[in-house]
Amino acid sequence: MSFKKIQLDIVGMNCASCVMHIEGDLKKLKGVKDARVNFALNRGEVEYDESVVGVPDIVTTIKHAGYSAEPITSPVAGGGHHDHAGHHEASGQPEDHAAHASAESDRAISDRWQKFVAAAVLSVVVVLVEFWLDIPNERFLMLLLSLGVLYFGREFFSLGLPGLARLRPNMDTLVALGVGAAFLYSSYTTLWQPEASQYFLDVAIIATFILLGRYLEARAKGRASEAIKKLLKLSAKTAHRLTESGGIEDVLIEAVQVGDKLLIKPGEKIPTDGVIIEGASAIDESMVTGESIPVDKTVGDQVIGATLNGNGSLTVRTEKVGAATMLAQIIKLVEEAQMSKAPIQKLVDQVSSYFVWIVMLIALITILAWSWWTGDFGLALVRAVAVLIIACPCALGLATPISIVVGTGRGAVMGILIKKAEALEKMKKITAVAFDKTGTITKGHPEVQEWVAASNDESEAYFFEAYTLESRSEHPLAKSIVEWLKEKRHAASSVPLTAVQAVTGRGMSGEYQGAKYRIGSVRFLREEGVNMEEQRDKIEEYGSKGFTIIGFSRNQKLLGFFAVQDGLKESSAEAIKHLKHRGIKTVMLTGDNSFVAREIARQVGIDEVQAEVMPADKVAIIKRLQEEGNFVAMVGDGINDSPALAAANVGIAMGTGTDVAMEAGDVVLVKGDLSKAAEAISLSEATLRNIKQNLFWAFIYNTVGVPVAALGFLNPEFSAAAMALSSVSVVLNALRLRRVRLT
């Protein structure tokens, strides 16, 4: 059994009940494993068995439910898309899809604007005729004018009445019943009871206000999904490919293949993921990782597609294209997160499934009660119309998904990829965070932390000899010393050493101007007869703190030693400080020895250390923390962390780590910056708070508005204006997440 996923654009949804109907029908379809519909994005995602059901069947099912649907092609350069048969095909570049999606959105918004303007013009004429103009047979003119308004609002009837016929009423059903009943009653009195009241003005104003609300809602929803649009626009359109003959050809990005050599000129976007094989430059990666400071890159360093090259010229060998690139993976994760549902949405779905029926029942009771009480059917009808119009399942339907869309989009811009809406909701509950050490708290590679000179003489004058020896070694410790000498002491000039020898796993030696230089482990230098006694206490002191000692000598004299250790990430201490300020317990889980682990923990301020533990031990410790009543997050980057990431309540994977770890995590920190973990928790809190605000006002609005309208305290025009603005206010409140401060 082979399951595939397809996303579809869905047209015609106007409230949460629409979502319930579509999901229900799709899940009943044989061969469909799961179906999710997002009202905020007007999008659906279906997981199906292609041997049982095809894409045309899925589209037809949605159409039979009263909506139209169209499969979405993948917005990934070279990443492919699914056609109507569910097959994988090559697709265009992100900009093409972004431009197409933007054009479709602009057309939809423009169409709503045109309908509103036309209805508004006719409504103004209705107002003039009603209050100021003295025109013969004005009732017939108002009938025609209000009919014109309803023509521009015909979607209320084309979407609402079929839903009622299928016993699946929605927001459009309420509007269609309200304005339709008022129009029919007014038309009847115009033709046969001219002395009775007409409500053409109410019909025109109500329809116009609702059209205005839908226009404003469409614009606001477009702003909510801007994060994806921005990501889509990042990729370069073309690349300068180096030919075998040494020439340069400009090719479209989809023509770039793995292994191609690309020239990136100063100020240009890097076309795709790769490794620098020539040149050096500072690269602005903020658009992908959220890191605001340009990163210095040179030969051997990885570069990310869609990032911006600085002033240097680079030659890059392509390593990933299309759907495999980091940008494509980010877009995919954000889209999946925005399509997922938070647990809090279940309550809304349950309420929404009954909401429209309840409103219709209240409207029926209203018209019967007012007719009996006053004997005026026209007045009773107006009260019932107010009830139908004031109800707003739109606001309920938007409350949760719109906040998820904005929250996950904000996270993506910051370099925080939230893979599921559930994780966004759960992070707020975290009471304990367990960290892997290597590659999470530390950088994951050795760095020289300090040079300890044996005496105050000119020992540092021999750094050029040290640089020459270590630059000939491939050992990671040697590389760390070479980098330190280049960056910290600017000792990057070689000297003509002779008799150079490498002792595997021990060190290097060589001769220059009659002196013999050695660099390596303490054991190696002692075996070579170097006097280490004067520095023995310092060597033992640094060794007890977890440093690796690399000695450097001239002849038999020790010049000093390099204290090497896996360097702390700059953000680690500050991130842990933020977590502890929130009252969150911090624990380090590492396979490293206890001396090193406790020293690292001391430097960053971690509460508890569990050292020399195996992957299975990490899982056991996670479970122990959970049994103690903690809601646990695990932060890690390696394959050995994936079981613990999966066992934790929330798994946070470092984007600089392995694919296995990122797959197991619920949240991915693109840059591997630990401070983003604290920001992710803040984002979770802000998003959940925003959702609750939206739900509170949506529930209060309907709980108060419907009975107030039924009691006759709201006229239909005010109800229409309030209903139109309620869903817009929910979207605008969600948009505040784009600016909320995260600490």
Side-chain angles (χ1 to χ4, degrees), residues 282-302:
I283 297 176
D284 180 359
E285 298 182 336
S286 60
M287 60 284 292
V288 175
T289 67
E291 175 60 56
S292 59
I293 301 174
V295 182
D296 291 328
K297 302 269 186 173
T298 188
V299 174
D301 289 335
Q302 301 287 327

Short mmCIF file of all heavy atoms in Angstrom, two decimals, residues 282-302:
data_model
loop_
_atom_site.label_atom_id
_atom_site.label_comp_id
_atom_site.label_asym_id
_atom_site.label_seq_id
_atom_site.Cartn_x
_atom_site.Cartn_y
_atom_site.Cartn_z
N ALA A 282 31.75 37.19 2.71
CA ALA A 282 30.79 37.22 3.82
C ALA A 282 29.41 37.06 3.22
O ALA A 282 29.03 37.77 2.28
CB ALA A 282 30.89 38.54 4.58
N ILE A 283 28.65 36.10 3.74
CA ILE A 283 27.35 35.76 3.15
C ILE A 283 26.22 36.09 4.12
O ILE A 283 26.26 35.69 5.29
CB ILE A 283 27.31 34.27 2.74
CG1 ILE A 283 28.37 34.02 1.65
CG2 ILE A 283 25.94 33.87 2.25
CD1 ILE A 283 28.49 32.59 1.24
N ASP A 284 25.23 36.81 3.62
CA ASP A 284 24.05 37.17 4.40
C ASP A 284 23.06 36.01 4.33
O ASP A 284 22.44 35.77 3.29
CB ASP A 284 23.43 38.44 3.84
CG ASP A 284 22.19 38.88 4.61
OD1 ASP A 284 21.81 38.17 5.58
OD2 ASP A 284 21.60 39.91 4.26
N GLU A 285 22.92 35.27 5.44
CA GLU A 285 22.03 34.11 5.48
C GLU A 285 20.73 34.40 6.22
O GLU A 285 19.96 33.50 6.53
CB GLU A 285 22.75 32.92 6.13
CG GLU A 285 23.98 32.46 5.37
CD GLU A 285 24.64 31.25 6.00
OE1 GLU A 285 24.45 31.03 7.22
OE2 GLU A 285 25.34 30.50 5.28
N SER A 286 20.47 35.67 6.51
CA SER A 286 19.33 36.04 7.35
C SER A 286 18.00 35.59 6.77
O SER A 286 17.08 35.24 7.50
CB SER A 286 19.31 37.56 7.57
OG SER A 286 19.21 38.25 6.35
N MET A 287 17.88 35.59 5.45
CA MET A 287 16.61 35.25 4.84
C MET A 287 16.24 33.79 5.02
O MET A 287 15.08 33.41 4.90
CB MET A 287 16.60 35.59 3.35
CG MET A 287 17.67 34.89 2.51
SD MET A 287 19.33 35.58 2.72
CE MET A 287 19.12 37.19 1.98
N VAL A 288 17.23 32.94 5.33
CA VAL A 288 16.95 31.52 5.52
C VAL A 288 17.10 31.10 6.97
O VAL A 288 16.29 30.32 7.49
CB VAL A 288 17.90 30.67 4.63
CG1 VAL A 288 17.70 29.18 4.91
CG2 VAL A 288 17.64 30.97 3.17
N THR A 289 18.12 31.62 7.65
CA THR A 289 18.41 31.15 9.01
C THR A 289 17.96 32.11 10.10
O THR A 289 17.92 31.74 11.27
CB THR A 289 19.92 30.93 9.19
OG1 THR A 289 20.59 32.21 9.11
CG2 THR A 289 20.46 30.02 8.11
N GLY A 290 17.64 33.35 9.75
CA GLY A 290 17.29 34.32 10.77
C GLY A 290 18.51 34.98 11.40
O GLY A 290 18.38 35.85 12.25
N GLU A 291 19.73 34.59 10.98
CA GLU A 291 20.97 35.16 11.51
C GLU A 291 21.24 36.49 10.82
O GLU A 291 21.46 36.55 9.62
CB GLU A 291 22.12 34.18 11.26
CG GLU A 291 23.49 34.70 11.64
CD GLU A 291 23.59 35.04 13.11
OE1 GLU A 291 23.33 34.17 13.95
OE2 GLU A 291 23.92 36.21 13.41
N SER A 292 21.24 37.57 11.61
CA SER A 292 21.32 38.90 11.01
C SER A 292 22.74 39.29 10.59
O SER A 292 22.92 40.13 9.71
CB SER A 292 20.79 39.94 12.00
OG SER A 292 21.53 39.91 13.22
N ILE A 293 23.76 38.70 11.21
CA ILE A 293 25.16 39.07 10.92
C ILE A 293 25.69 38.20 9.78
O ILE A 293 25.59 36.96 9.84
CB ILE A 293 26.04 38.90 12.17
CG1 ILE A 293 25.51 39.78 13.31
CG2 ILE A 293 27.49 39.23 11.86
CD1 ILE A 293 26.23 39.56 14.62
N PRO A 294 26.26 38.80 8.72
CA PRO A 294 26.83 38.00 7.63
C PRO A 294 27.89 37.03 8.14
O PRO A 294 28.64 37.34 9.08
CB PRO A 294 27.45 39.06 6.71
CG PRO A 294 26.65 40.30 6.98
CD PRO A 294 26.33 40.24 8.45
N VAL A 295 27.95 35.86 7.52
CA VAL A 295 28.86 34.80 7.95
C VAL A 295 30.02 34.71 6.99
O VAL A 295 29.82 34.62 5.77
CB VAL A 295 28.12 33.44 8.01
CG1 VAL A 295 29.05 32.35 8.52
CG2 VAL A 295 26.89 33.55 8.90
N ASP A 296 31.25 34.75 7.52
CA ASP A 296 32.44 34.62 6.67
C ASP A 296 32.57 33.19 6.19
O ASP A 296 32.51 32.23 6.97
CB ASP A 296 33.70 35.01 7.46
CG ASP A 296 33.75 36.50 7.75
OD1 ASP A 296 33.23 37.27 6.93
OD2 ASP A 296 34.28 36.88 8.82
N LYS A 297 32.75 33.02 4.87
CA LYS A 297 32.86 31.69 4.28
C LYS A 297 34.09 31.65 3.39
O LYS A 297 34.43 32.63 2.72
CB LYS A 297 31.62 31.38 3.44
CG LYS A 297 30.30 31.44 4.20
CD LYS A 297 29.92 30.11 4.79
CE LYS A 297 28.54 30.16 5.41
NZ LYS A 297 28.07 28.85 5.86
N THR A 298 34.73 30.47 3.36
CA THR A 298 35.89 30.28 2.50
C THR A 298 35.87 28.87 1.94
O THR A 298 34.89 28.14 2.11
CB THR A 298 37.19 30.56 3.27
OG1 THR A 298 38.29 30.55 2.35
CG2 THR A 298 37.42 29.56 4.39
N VAL A 299 36.94 28.47 1.28
CA VAL A 299 37.00 27.16 0.62
C VAL A 299 36.67 26.04 1.61
O VAL A 299 37.19 26.00 2.72
CB VAL A 299 38.40 26.93 0.01
CG1 VAL A 299 38.52 25.51 -0.55
CG2 VAL A 299 38.67 27.95 -1.09
N GLY A 300 35.76 25.16 1.20
CA GLY A 300 35.36 24.03 2.04
C GLY A 300 34.09 24.28 2.83
O GLY A 300 33.50 23.34 3.37
N ASP A 301 33.66 25.54 2.92
CA ASP A 301 32.46 25.86 3.68
C ASP A 301 31.20 25.63 2.85
O ASP A 301 31.20 25.82 1.63
CB ASP A 301 32.48 27.31 4.17
CG ASP A 301 33.51 27.54 5.26
OD1 ASP A 301 33.83 26.56 5.96
OD2 ASP A 301 33.98 28.68 5.41
N GLN A 302 30.14 25.25 3.54
CA GLN A 302 28.85 25.04 2.89
C GLN A 302 28.14 26.37 2.67
O GLN A 302 28.23 27.27 3.50
CB GLN A 302 27.95 24.13 3.74
CG GLN A 302 28.54 22.76 4.04
CD GLN A 302 28.52 21.85 2.84
OE1 GLN A 302 27.62 21.92 2.01
NE2 GLN A 302 29.52 20.98 2.73
#
